Amino acid sequence: MRVLAVEDNDPKWSRIEAVLRQGLGSIDVVRARDLRDAERLVEEGGWDLLILDISLDIRAGGDRGGRGAHDYTGGLKIAGRMFYLECEVPTIVVTGFDAFPTAAPAAGHEVILGLEDVGRQARRFLGHHLLGAVRFGSAGWDADLLELLKGVGRA
């Protein structure tokens, strides 16, 4: 099984990967650490599962304090790209946040999306391929992820 994991946070990824291996056993995992790598890898195709973070660095090693270095809804852009390229795969959103600004706070035009809003938008792009969303770090997040992994192969 080939898994594409879009996750920019190393400590978070270590914990997610452990749960993936527990739930799926032997897997071939490729990790995209930023939005640009994710866009490129999604286009390669051949994935059996996508683990998708929503808030992403635009480039690995980018300065989070710098303007344009982070996209708070970058994962939705990945979902949209999959839809338009017709390469949807079973997807589980794993995010550490429950609210997402849609613009840089300094711009003064931001809208805050909740996790449910993000899930609805991802479902519009991915349809039945979206297996669900997990709020990383919440009580029982790992059990929730394990439960969603049971749906891999049925999407």
Side-chain angles (χ1 to χ4, degrees):
M1 172 176 287
R2 290 188 71 221
V3 177
L4 173 58
V6 179
E7 175 54 60
D8 58 358
N9 181 290
D10 291 337
K12 179 179 158 194
W13 169 241
S14 294
R15 294 179 61 197
I16 292 169
E17 184 180 23
V19 175
L20 287 176
R21 294 194 185 280
Q22 177 186 347
L24 299 175
S26 179
I27 54 176
D28 176 24
V29 179
V30 175
R31 179 176 165 211
R33 290 184 161 95
D34 61 40
L35 186 60
R36 291 183 188 223
D37 278 348
E39 289 173 338
R40 179 182 53 80
L41 289 166
V42 159
E43 288 184 28
E44 284 183 11
W47 306 106
D48 300 303
L49 175 66
L50 172 65
I51 301 298
L52 182 62
D53 191 8
I54 296 298
S55 183
L56 295 167
D57 285 338
I58 293 172
R59 283 186 198 238
D63 178 13
R64 286 192 179 250
R67 185 177 166 101
H70 199 77
D71 188 331
Y72 295 100
T73 57
L76 289 176
K77 291 174 178 69
I78 297 300
R81 187 173 195 88
M82 291 167 57
F83 173 78
Y84 291 113
L85 294 173
E86 298 180 350
C87 64
E88 303 96 326
V89 297
T91 300
I92 299 173
V93 171
V94 182
T95 183
F97 300 101
D98 54 10
F100 307 86
T102 60
H109 296 90
E110 72 178 316
V111 173
I112 305 295
L113 298 176
L115 186 55
E116 289 180 8
D117 300 316
V118 166
R120 274 192 296 275
Q121 286 192 266
R123 180 133 347 254
R124 279 189 19 234
F125 291 127
L126 301 173
H128 71 278
H129 294 286
L130 180 64
L131 301 178
V134 173
R135 167 71 165 79
F136 176 83
S138 63
W141 75 270
D142 48 350
D144 293 342
L145 180 54
L146 283 171
E147 189 62 30
L148 290 174
L149 290 172
K150 291 179 183 177
V152 175
R154 288 185 270 166

